[in-house]
Amino acid sequence: MIKNSSISVIPQEEKEENKGSVEFQVFSFTNKIRRLTSHLELHKKDFLSQRGLRKILGKRQRLLTYLSKKNRVRYKRLIGQLDIREPKTR
C-alpha cells in the first residue's frame, strides 16, 4: 500500500483557501476511499475499516447530491476531474 498517493486536481493555493468547500471535501473523501480500498484488498477481514469506508462513501454521496442540486455545472466538472462515475437515477 502506498502511503501518500493522492491525486492533485485542485491547485495548491486553492486548497489553502477553500478547505470547507464541497469540492475539497469530496476530493479528500475520494482520497480516503481510494486509500481504504487498497488497504481492504490486502486485509479482507478488517471489518472496522469496511464500516469506515461505508460511512465515508455515504458522506461523499450526500455531498455530491447536495452539489448536484445546487450547481449542476460544478457537479459535472468535479465528477469528471475525480473520475467518479455518476450514480444512476431511478
Side-chain angles (χ1 to χ4, degrees):
M1 183 172 82
I2 300 170
K3 282 279 181 184
N4 293 323
S5 67
S6 67
I7 53 175
S8 182
V9 175
I10 302 172
Q12 187 65 30
E13 61 273 357
E14 196 172 309
K15 281 184 191 176
E16 297 300 323
E17 293 175 9
N18 298 324
K19 288 192 176 189
S21 70
V22 175
E23 287 92 348
F24 183 81
Q25 290 180 39
V26 171
F27 171 75
S28 64
F29 283 149
T30 301
N31 283 336
K32 286 182 185 179
I33 288 167
R34 289 181 177 153
R35 203 170 43 232
L36 274 173
T37 302
S38 66
H39 169 78
L40 287 171
E41 287 173 356
L42 296 174
H43 308 281
K44 292 178 179 16
K45 294 194 176 195
D46 189 353
F47 299 115
L48 290 177
S49 291
Q50 288 178 11
R51 181 175 184 258
L53 177 63
R54 284 193 300 268
K55 287 179 82 165
I56 294 172
L57 283 168
K59 286 180 185 180
R60 184 180 73 174
Q61 188 61 45
R62 285 192 299 273
L63 282 171
L64 287 172
T65 302
Y66 168 79
L67 187 61
S68 70
K69 289 177 183 176
K70 291 293 180 182
N71 193 337
R72 193 74 177 170
V73 175
R74 283 172 52 195
Y75 170 75
K76 290 284 190 184
R77 186 176 59 221
L78 184 65
I79 291 292
Q81 284 177 341
L82 294 178
D83 195 28
I84 303 172
R85 101 187 126 137
E86 191 170 348
K88 295 179 183 177
T89 55
R90 294 178 196 183

